[in-house]
Amino acid sequence: METIIRVVEDIEKDYEIIREGAEYIKKGQLVAFPTETVYGLGANALDAGAVRRIFEAKGRPSDNPLIVHIGEIDDINELVAHIPSSARLLMDKYWPGPLTLVLKKASSVPAEITAGLDTVAIRMPSHPVANALIRESGVPIAAPSANKSGRPSPTLAKHVIEDLSGRIPFIIDGGECSVGLESTVLDMSRDMPIILRPGGITKEMIEDTIGSIEVDRRVLTPPMEGEEIRSPGMKYTHYAPNAPVVIVEGNIDYMADKIRKVAKYYSSKYKKIIVLSTEETALMYGDEDFTVFIMGSRAEPSTIASNLFALLRECDERNADIIIAEGVEETHEGLAIMNRMLRAAAFRVIK
Ligand code: AMP
Ligand code: MG
């Protein structure tokens, strides 16, 4: 299949590209497009055949449900059975934005999207290209991240091209995604709201609006064999570059020392070692026999979030044999960063 790639620099000047994309969606075809979190691979959410194409193109397991993206708050009404008042408060405060709500579904939502669950995940993206594409298509758009299943999520159009060129007809290149990690997924279908996947909208931000909520403990630990899983996505290894990732955690005063020891340990087995460090720690490394990439600043975790996936891919490009990543504090946005690192990682080393 030929893949057409179009660059949108100015949404008004380039609006013809949005119209072209919407035509593919209306015909039941797939379109990759930028959102503020990561690039999405979209299809008409009300067309079961189109939705199945997403799973084929990504190689995504069919029991992993998709998020439905809407263009206006009121578009949620036809997709859900009921909207709790606390969900309304969050929608008013954080939509459009990187917060996905899981609610009891309406019968119009195809089972292909929800993987047979009685709930549906919905979000309203704030990226102008995403928003315009949904509105112009006139239908809700189901969209997972536009990567091959298991690979780091795409934050640039070139990542989408790497993974899906030849497998989908149309890619809209809208530059770099600002958040860089996927949306927060909050399950509001039961009495106590619970975060199933942490993201840019933090627990604290949600609690400011609706009071106390929970965080699924599997956000930072893999599920045990046979355990009930509320978010099917939790059970898959994710975001993984080709090289194994090892996470080193602990006191940053000793970080460089620990990393050096871990690197030395691996140096007999691996040639090309890449260390993912932070601005605060990068200067602690000297002329060791490994490459140092800086993820961002610990003082401003959103910088780490927005660079993480692109750096994991860059490690592949540089033919890393092993990646040693510094852990960050698991508070606020750090929780989302550690969740993604752990899903990418082979080992979590030192606490
Ligand atoms: P992705 O599309 O790759 O961003 O992943 C979507 C995430 O939302 C996955 O972790 C899914 O398991 C989760 N998700 C989607 N729909 C539901 C649902 N109805 N209930 C629980 N989790 C969901
Ligand atoms: Mg994904």
Side-chain angles (χ1 to χ4, degrees):
M1 178 188 298
E2 190 204 352
T3 303
I4 296 168
I5 302 154
R6 295 255 189 275
V7 181
V8 171
E9 272 168 3
D10 179 315
I11 187 91
E12 270 159 38
K13 268 205 341 256
D14 299 324
Y15 201 78
E16 195 45 47
I17 297 170
I18 304 289
R19 264 193 218 109
E20 215 182 324
E23 286 308 312
Y24 283 96
I25 297 285
K26 287 187 215 164
K27 281 189 294 194
Q29 301 294 322
L30 305 185
V31 175
F33 60 97
T35 79
E36 71 278 22
T37 59
V38 301
Y39 273 77
L41 179 60
N44 177 354
L46 304 176
D47 177 344
V51 172
R52 274 196 293 274
R53 289 204 174 94
I54 294 180
F55 288 88
E56 282 161 24
K58 278 184 62 104
R60 182 175 174 107
S62 61
D63 65 348
N64 194 2
L66 305 176
I67 294 170
V68 178
H69 295 71
I70 57 176
E72 289 180 56
I73 288 194
D74 283 348
D75 294 346
I76 192 176
N77 297 330
E78 60 166 348
L79 301 169
V80 300
H82 166 69
I83 305 173
S85 56
S86 52
R88 278 259 171 242
L89 289 173
L90 290 173
M91 286 152 53
D92 289 342
K93 176 118 191 201
Y94 293 117
W95 281 7
L99 175 66
T100 295
L101 301 179
V102 174
L103 296 166
K104 289 270 184 263
K105 81 177 195 82
S107 53
S108 61
V109 180
E112 278 78 2
I113 288 192
T114 62
L117 298 172
D118 64 352
T119 54
V120 61
I122 300 175
R123 142 173 140 81
M124 178 174 166
S126 66
H127 195 292
V129 170
N131 198 270
L133 180 69
I134 299 165
R135 286 171 186 236
E136 194 59 38
S137 302
V139 290
I141 293 186
S145 48
N147 52 285
K148 274 243 184 74
S149 206
R151 298 267 298 142
S153 296
T155 55
L156 290 168
K158 78 164 186 165
H159 302 152
V160 182
I161 296 165
E162 271 165 28
D163 280 18
L164 298 177
S165 186
R167 302 175 72 89
I168 61 173
F170 201 67
I171 298 174
I172 303 177
D173 179 347
E176 193 177 1
C177 303
S178 57
V179 178
L181 296 182
E182 303 84 349
S183 59
T184 304
V185 177
L186 181 69
D187 186 352
M188 304 202 77
S189 68
R190 305 192 196 184
D191 288 344
M192 184 58 153
I194 180 166
I195 290 181
L196 302 179
R197 177 175 75 186
I201 304 289
T202 63
K203 176 174 192 270
E204 294 76 12
M205 291 163 78
I206 294 169
E207 289 186 327
D208 272 351
T209 309
I210 61 166
S212 180
I213 62 163
E214 286 175 5
V215 177
D216 197 301
R217 66 188 166 75
R218 281 156 299 198
V219 156
L220 292 177
T221 48
M224 312 278 257
E225 190 81 19
E227 205 178 354
E228 189 214 2
I229 292 171
R230 284 174 72 175
S231 186
M234 280 182 184
K235 69 183 174 205
Y236 297 106
T237 326
H238 252 83
Y239 318 122
N242 296 327
V245 179
V246 175
I247 302 172
V248 176
E249 287 175 273
N251 190 325
I252 73 159
D253 294 335
Y254 304 105
M255 188 59 86
D257 207 40
K258 266 187 218 161
I259 297 257
R260 256 181 235 114
K261 285 194 182 115
V262 173
K264 190 164 177 359
Y265 171 82
Y266 284 112
S267 63
S268 59
K269 202 164 145 204
Y270 298 105
K271 243 171 67 199
K272 176 81 182 172
I273 300 177
I274 297 184
V275 170
L276 299 183
S277 74
T278 54
E279 277 169 20
E280 289 80 357
T281 49
L283 287 175
M284 298 174 172
Y285 304 108
D287 52 1
E288 290 87 2
D289 206 11
F290 50 70
T291 306
V292 178
F293 286 172
I294 299 176
M295 297 183 283
S297 162
R298 287 171 184 274
E300 219 181 315
S302 62
T303 57
I304 300 177
S306 69
N307 291 326
L308 179 65
F309 286 142
L311 282 180
L312 289 175
R313 281 178 182 261
E314 192 158 339
C315 289
D316 279 348
E317 266 170 41
R318 299 276 289 266
N319 293 317
D321 294 310
I322 187 159
I323 300 161
I324 305 176
E326 293 181 1
V328 299
E329 219 188 315
E330 293 153 1
T331 54
H332 300 271
E333 223 178 342
L335 184 66
I337 295 166
M338 284 307 288
N339 167 262
R340 304 311 191 277
M341 276 196 190
L342 286 163
R343 294 260 182 279
F347 308 105
R348 178 179 203 175
V349 181
I350 302 159
K351 190 73 184 171

